[in-house]
Amino acid sequence: MPDGAARTSAFLPYGRQSIDEADIEAVAEALRADFLTTGPMVDRFEAVFAETVGAPFAVACSNGTTALHLAVAALDVGPGDICVVPSITFVATANVCAMQGAQVVFADVDPSTGLMTEETLADALARANGDVRVVLPVHLAGNACDLAAIGAMADRWGCSVVEDACHAVGTTTPDGPVGSTRRSDAACFSFHPVKTLTTGEGGMVTTRDAALYARMRRLRSHGLVREGFDCSPGPWWYEQTELGWNYRLPDILCALGVSQLKRLPAFVAQRRRLAARYAEQFAALAPLVRIPPATEGVDPALHLLAARIDFAALGTTRAAFMEQLRRRGVGSQVHYIPVHRQPYWVERSRTPTLPGADAWYAQTLSLPLFPAMTEADVDRVCEAVADCIEGKVLAA
Ligand SMILES: Cc1ncc(COP(=O)(O)O)c(C=O)c1O
């Protein structure tokens, strides 16, 4: 179905990719060209992405997880090091630190936004018993953390900052677009289908640091170096200088990325329009339903409409609420279960109670938000939510 056409009666998932004929043609063209894997579209996607977010360097890679892994590996994170990760995120943010043998200290979040703050970072740093190497703020749902404050604190502690910007392409901050890395060492993006831009699977790291950039490029391809030898025996020569991985993003998917980037301004404008409509409609339902406030100076390109619903005050459960929404044609999802409560992490992190993360988790529910939605679709979701609130949740 073409974007935006006759969606009103269809089931509304919480997120959905937008692929148009130009995207399909871009992929078809790449399939007809000489390179399926590493070819000209990789360089093109990196160049256009870097320009879009205002960073000098960008490294395309196979997904958001490998983007995060390249960044922490290139910063030399290893056994004995500590990384600080907010508990409200996708597990990947913490997992890449463990993949490098580092220990994770989970930070609490502001319960009204789900974001790590200067205060919750300070608390995590005080709990860390050793050398904190990297702090990984997560720009949850597309709302950005206060990187000026977080970056300043990381500087005082002598640690690097890697932004998990998987949700936040298109978001602007007082320092420019997310990804410009003016307050961090690197920013990592995901192009999974529910994200604002998609390449199916895909990721990108941006940075201002030329050495970090060179190392991430090397690590993306098995740690191989192909140029700069004094006595190369011939043009076939390469050397493996360290252990890396195959984290490359194929030309076909980069072609889709270049095409999607042309549509980014329209995606962002539509997401902002829809989010504004949600805010308008939900104002009448406060304080039972609230939209998290944007961080001061930030203009979010929301990837998720992560509403906060006071299920306890309504005398219901989130599961019952989600089921009633589903019956009314409205999909929803939960972002996220606090990572420190995952079985893998409980023993390994021995995290104390994080009241902000627990409070966020208790009330969060992501409602449909994707570019093909119309304002009438938003109204339909809001009516379904209002229906549930008016006591129909348990009765139906
Ligand atoms: C906050 C966050 N970090 C990291 C990732 C990992 O990205 P990917 O699924 O592309 O590996 C995701 C993806 O869902 C995410 O939402």
Side-chain angles (χ1 to χ4, degrees):
M1 179 169 57
D3 275 342
R7 282 216 148 264
T8 307
S9 61
F11 184 82
L12 293 167
Y14 81 90
R16 190 177 197 285
Q17 72 274 17
S18 169
I19 299 293
D20 70 4
E21 287 306 316
D23 293 328
I24 292 167
E25 185 47 40
V27 172
E29 218 175 282
L31 283 167
R32 289 187 205 103
D34 292 336
F35 301 92
L36 293 188
T37 57
T38 303
M41 295 316 292
V42 179
D43 293 341
R44 176 94 57 88
F45 187 31
E46 290 176 340
V48 186
F49 193 90
E51 196 188 335
T52 302
V53 301
F57 305 113
V59 180
C61 54
S62 48
N63 52 60
T65 308
T66 56
L68 289 159
H69 192 203
L70 285 174
V72 295
L75 285 166
D76 258 336
V77 169
D81 291 333
I82 295 173
C83 297
V84 174
V85 174
S87 183
I88 297 298
T89 184
F90 184 54
V91 294
T93 326
N95 289 352
V96 299
C97 305
M99 282 155 65
Q100 286 302 108
Q103 192 198 327
V104 173
V105 170
F106 288 101
D108 205 0
V109 298
D110 177 336
S112 69
T113 61
L115 298 173
M116 182 163 81
T117 64
E118 190 180 5
E119 292 73 29
T120 65
L121 172 58
D123 168 66
L125 290 168
R127 273 189 277 119
N129 189 15
D131 184 19
V132 178
R133 290 293 319 285
V134 182
V135 173
L136 293 102
V138 176
H139 301 315
L140 187 73
N143 188 10
C145 298
D146 179 353
L147 271 196
I150 288 172
M153 181 162 292
D155 274 353
R156 287 199 293 281
W157 280 71
C159 35
S160 305
V161 176
V162 171
E163 297 171 68
D164 183 333
C166 286
H167 293 184
V169 67
T171 293
T172 54
T173 76
D175 295 307
V178 165
S180 65
T181 64
R182 289 205 172 80
R183 303 273 188 180
S184 69
D185 296 86
C188 304
F189 296 85
S190 163
F191 307 127
H192 179 274
V194 291
K195 302 296 192 290
T196 298
L197 280 187
T198 190
T199 59
E201 295 279 2
M204 189 78 77
V205 193
T206 58
T207 183
R208 305 190 150 254
D209 180 331
L212 198 65
Y213 166 66
R215 188 155 189 217
M216 290 192 293
R217 282 177 65 96
R218 241 181 2 253
L219 291 173
R220 171 178 69 177
S221 204
H222 298 289
L224 299 182
V225 179
R226 291 178 189 279
E227 62 255 330
F229 307 110
D230 289 338
C231 50
S232 157
W236 67 86
W237 194 249
Y238 57 80
E239 290 180 10
Q240 184 189 347
T241 56
E242 60 181 326
L243 191 63
W245 308 274
N246 176 354
Y247 281 175
R248 297 185 297 267
L249 187 64
D251 234 40
I252 308 165
L253 300 187
C254 288
L256 179 55
V258 171
S259 178
Q260 287 262 302
L261 266 177
K262 290 185 193 147
R263 304 177 62 206
L264 182 63
F267 288 158
V268 169
Q270 178 65 352
R271 282 175 179 276
R272 287 189 176 139
R273 212 171 3 253
L274 298 170
R277 181 79 172 188
Y278 268 114
E280 213 177 282
Q281 299 280 314
F282 280 157
L285 300 178
L288 292 171
V289 180
R290 285 164 297 171
I291 303 286
T295 302
E296 202 180 326
V298 168
D299 191 4
L302 286 188
H303 148 58
L304 297 168
L305 198 290
R308 298 186 52 63
I309 302 180
D310 193 340
F311 303 107
L314 288 168
T316 187
T317 64
R318 177 166 42 205
F321 205 95
M322 287 174 83
E323 172 56 16
Q324 290 305 319
L325 286 178
R326 193 192 62 74
R327 290 189 197 176
R328 288 164 174 78
V330 174
S332 59
Q333 189 48 278
V334 177
H335 299 93
Y336 289 97
I337 303 165
V339 181
H340 75 282
R341 294 194 175 278
Q342 293 293 346
Y344 175 86
W345 284 108
V346 170
E347 267 307 298
R348 282 172 181 83
S349 73
R350 294 172 180 268
T351 308
T353 302
L354 298 179
D358 287 340
W360 170 267
Y361 172 59
Q363 296 197 345
T364 191
L365 191 67
S366 298
L367 299 171
L369 184 71
F370 53 94
M373 280 175 73
T374 61
E375 292 189 347
D377 290 328
V378 173
D379 293 350
R380 184 154 76 81
V381 175
C382 294
E383 275 160 34
V385 169
D387 260 11
C388 295
I389 285 176
E390 281 157 23
K392 295 177 187 162
V393 173
L394 298 174

